[in-house]
């Protein structure tokens, strides 16, 4: 997958799959899968570092995780998230952060929101860096939303999101993440734009879908929002493997003679 394939997929009506990835070991696994693209999302602040929101992701964290993912997945198209307020500190500071992610191995950056940053986004695109947009429930604005809530439910909100989506396309975004919005709204945006939409909690009619790696694998069985499907029960699998190891250590069944040096 390269940047040109995104538009091509939309034209051909072929869906795009994206999963988050934050570390080298997972990237090595994902490198060998069919998944189209990897997102080093700022959700890593929560998933990898245990914070309660994505506002804790810093550019240093984002760059370090992007480097690790690139080392593990040399051939995948990698999108790196521009973290909280990075797009709000003026063009120079924002461009420094874009440079950090691109030098870390990203093929593109993702920026949440639209209002007040269209010029910056155009500038990044004109500088030769592909930009993915992100509308709907943009988690960096969780405090302004009063929590992780579905966005665009009222007519006014929906119209505003559609307008933002149009402006992001005009600014040169090559794709747009739509997070936690009603499926009719996501469908309408998808039909109106010529760039692909990638949904999470946005229904089945977007041009692609994205999920958080650990969430879809069921690492945390208690986290099961409506939009999430568990494709595995990794929590149970890992717990059982570790307990098996523990028992083997207790009984002396591990290591065996074959697993020991003469
Ligand atoms: O950071 C992230 O994981 C994301 C996805 C939810 C789209 O932005």
């Amino acid at each position: 997958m390269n940047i040109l394939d995104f538009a091509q997929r939309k034209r051909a009506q072929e869906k795009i799959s994206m999963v988050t990835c934050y570390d080298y070991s997972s990237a090595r696994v994902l490198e060998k899968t069919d998944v189209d693209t990897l997102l080093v999302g700022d959700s890593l602040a929560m998933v990898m570092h245990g914070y309660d929101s994505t506002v804790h992701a810093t550019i240093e964290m984002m760059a370090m995780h992007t480097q690790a993912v690139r080392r593990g997945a040399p051939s995948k198209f990698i999108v790196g998230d521009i973290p909280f307020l990075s797009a709000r500190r003026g063009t120079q500071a924002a461009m420094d952060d874009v440079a950090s992610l691109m030098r870390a191995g990203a093929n593109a950056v993702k920026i949440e929101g639209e209002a007040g940053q269209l010029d910056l986004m155009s500038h990044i695109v004109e500088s030769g860096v592909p930009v993915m947009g992100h509308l709907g429930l943009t988690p960096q604005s969780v405090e302004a939303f009063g929590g992780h809530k579905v966005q665009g439910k009222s007519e006014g909100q929906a119209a505003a999101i559609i307008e933002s989506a149009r402006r992001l396309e005009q600014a040169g975004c090559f794709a747009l993440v739509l997070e936690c919005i009603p499926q009719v709204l996501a469908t309408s945006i998808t039909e109106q734009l010529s760039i692909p939409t990638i949904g999470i909690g946005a229904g089945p009619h977007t041009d692609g879908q994205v999920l958080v790696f650990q969430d879809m694998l069921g690492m945390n069985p208690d986290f099961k929002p409506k939009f999430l499907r568990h494709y595995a029960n990794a929590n149970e699998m890992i717990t059982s493997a570790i307990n098996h190891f523990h028992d083997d250590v207790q009984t002396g069944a591990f290591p065996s003679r074959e697993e020991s040096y003469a």
Side-chain angles (χ1 to χ4, degrees):
M1 188 94 174
N2 70 37
I3 186 70
L4 304 176
D5 296 322
F6 284 84
Q8 170 53 31
R9 287 289 189 89
K10 173 134 185 163
R11 282 195 295 273
Q13 296 187 346
E14 285 168 19
K15 298 267 186 182
I16 297 164
S17 61
M18 179 159 87
V19 289
T20 63
C21 184
Y22 317 117
D23 67 284
Y24 171 76
S25 304
S26 308
R28 275 179 59 102
V29 175
L30 288 168
E31 169 76 3
K32 303 269 185 244
T33 67
D34 297 331
V35 75
D36 291 314
T37 177
L38 306 183
L39 171 66
V40 185
D42 59 356
S43 50
L44 62 80
M46 302 170 79
V47 179
M48 301 299 282
H49 295 266
Y51 288 109
D52 62 356
S53 82
T54 62
V55 307
H56 299 279
T58 63
I59 190 62
E60 289 76 20
M61 285 159 77
M62 296 308 303
M64 188 192 72
H65 285 280
T66 302
Q67 283 166 3
V69 172
R70 175 51 80 205
R71 285 192 285 265
S75 78
K76 289 290 184 189
F77 190 91
I78 296 176
V79 181
D81 256 348
I82 292 290
F84 182 58
L85 295 187
S86 270
R88 297 282 172 166
R89 293 205 183 94
T91 308
Q92 184 60 58
M95 294 309 283
D96 286 348
D97 289 355
V98 170
S100 295
L101 292 191
M102 297 303 283
R103 290 198 183 112
N107 299 102
V109 298
K110 176 163 77 59
I111 300 182
E112 288 188 12
E114 172 267 326
Q117 49 200 39
L118 269 186
D119 287 348
L120 173 70
M121 290 166 94
S122 298
H123 181 67
I124 298 170
V125 173
E126 284 161 12
S127 308
V129 175
V131 176
M132 180 178 273
H134 185 163
L135 294 175
L137 171 53
T138 44
Q140 291 172 13
S141 305
V142 65
E143 293 301 334
F145 295 146
H148 290 94
K149 295 182 165 55
V150 176
Q151 299 297 303
K153 281 174 141 178
S154 74
E155 247 178 60
Q157 267 191 356
I161 295 175
I162 292 173
E163 281 313 308
S164 290
R166 286 212 187 104
R167 285 194 286 267
L168 286 178
E169 173 170 35
Q170 280 199 320
C173 287
F174 72 97
L176 177 61
V177 168
L178 295 174
E179 179 163 356
C180 289
I181 59 172
Q183 59 166 314
V184 281
L185 174 57
T187 306
S188 165
I189 294 170
T190 301
E191 284 168 1
Q192 291 181 51
L193 299 191
S194 61
I195 57 171
T197 58
I198 301 182
I200 174 164
H205 302 302
T206 49
D207 300 304
Q209 297 289 332
V210 54
L211 284 177
V212 169
F213 180 80
Q214 283 79 356
D215 294 348
M216 66 180 292
L217 295 181
M219 286 291 283
N220 177 0
D222 301 330
F223 184 65
K224 186 70 179 65
K226 187 178 170 69
F227 65 81
L228 177 64
R229 185 178 297 178
H230 284 160
Y231 282 86
N233 192 340
N235 185 295
E236 205 174 280
M237 209 184 74
I238 294 168
T239 304
S240 151
I242 297 296
N243 285 342
H244 194 169
F245 165 69
H246 172 81
D247 290 347
D248 283 354
V249 172
Q250 298 302 312
T251 61
F254 177 83
S256 66
R257 184 195 281 262
E258 292 73 34
E259 288 157 336
S260 306
Y261 296 106

